[in-house]
Structures are given as C-alpha cells and as structure tokens.
Amino acid sequence: MASNLDLVHYIADQCSGAGDITTRKMFGDYAIYCDGKIFGLICDNNFYIKPTEAGRALLSNVELRPPYDGAKDYFYIAEVDDRDSLSALVRATCNALPAPKKPKK
C-alpha cells in the first residue's frame, strides 16, 4: 500500500526545523532527506528513521521495525506531531550519518 501524499507532506513539514527537507517517491513509498542526506523512509503511512546512537539517545521509546519486507530495522516513529522533538531527532540523526556518496561517472 502506498503512503498518503498528505501524510508525507505533513511529516516533511514537521521535520523542517532540522534543515531543507525533501522527499522522493520510490517504489510507491517515499524516502525523506535533510539537506540532501537520506535519513528515513515513509512506507505504508508509517515513518521510519535510520538508527543511530545519537537518535537513540533522544527517543523515549525505541521501537525497531523494518520499513518493508527484507529491510534492515529502522527506528519506528509513531508520534509525528511534536515538531520540535522530531526536528531535533532528524538533526541528531543526520549529524551522525555519513555524507552522501557522490554518483559514479
């Protein structure tokens, strides 16, 4: 089941305090980026963030789930209504992730 575009826009807006948030449709669901760095997925109307120790430190309840069959576990983010907390989580996660790889020529 593909994610609802209104929910995708809402989650992107809620994360916007972390930087320039963009989304990209992939296989019926969405990847979500901050300043060009992918940090999460929105799959089947659920929000997932790549797991990092910095992100774990900010989560009061850590729940790991794969966003789709065969995927590695991500942090499952059930609460997307607290803009400040979500932005802080995205910022901490992105700071802990490596820079995006440059495409090969």
Side-chain angles (χ1 to χ4, degrees):
M1 173 175 96
S3 293
N4 178 305
L5 189 55
D6 289 335
L7 178 64
V8 172
H9 288 290
Y10 179 73
I11 291 171
D13 184 60
Q14 290 296 93
C15 297
S16 65
D20 180 32
I21 303 296
T22 56
T23 59
R24 179 191 234 176
K25 191 168 186 166
M26 301 177 82
F27 308 110
D29 283 305
Y30 294 84
I32 187 165
Y33 300 77
C34 181
D35 298 328
K37 188 182 289 188
I38 185 170
F39 69 88
L41 300 169
I42 303 169
C43 298
D44 295 330
N45 290 325
N46 293 301
F47 185 36
Y48 301 90
I49 290 182
K50 288 185 175 185
T52 62
E53 288 306 313
R56 184 182 301 276
L58 294 176
L59 291 170
S60 57
N61 179 31
V62 175
E63 185 175 346
L64 292 168
R65 291 187 190 177
Y68 54 89
D69 288 340
K72 294 180 181 180
D73 284 341
Y74 277 55
F75 291 141
Y76 170 68
I77 309 299
E79 175 56 48
V80 296
D81 294 328
D82 185 340
R83 177 188 299 258
D84 293 335
S85 294
L86 208 51
S87 292
L89 175 60
V90 170
R91 197 170 21 260
T93 298
C94 288
N95 287 340
L97 293 172
K101 295 178 183 177
K102 295 184 179 181
K104 295 179 182 179
K105 292 184 179 182

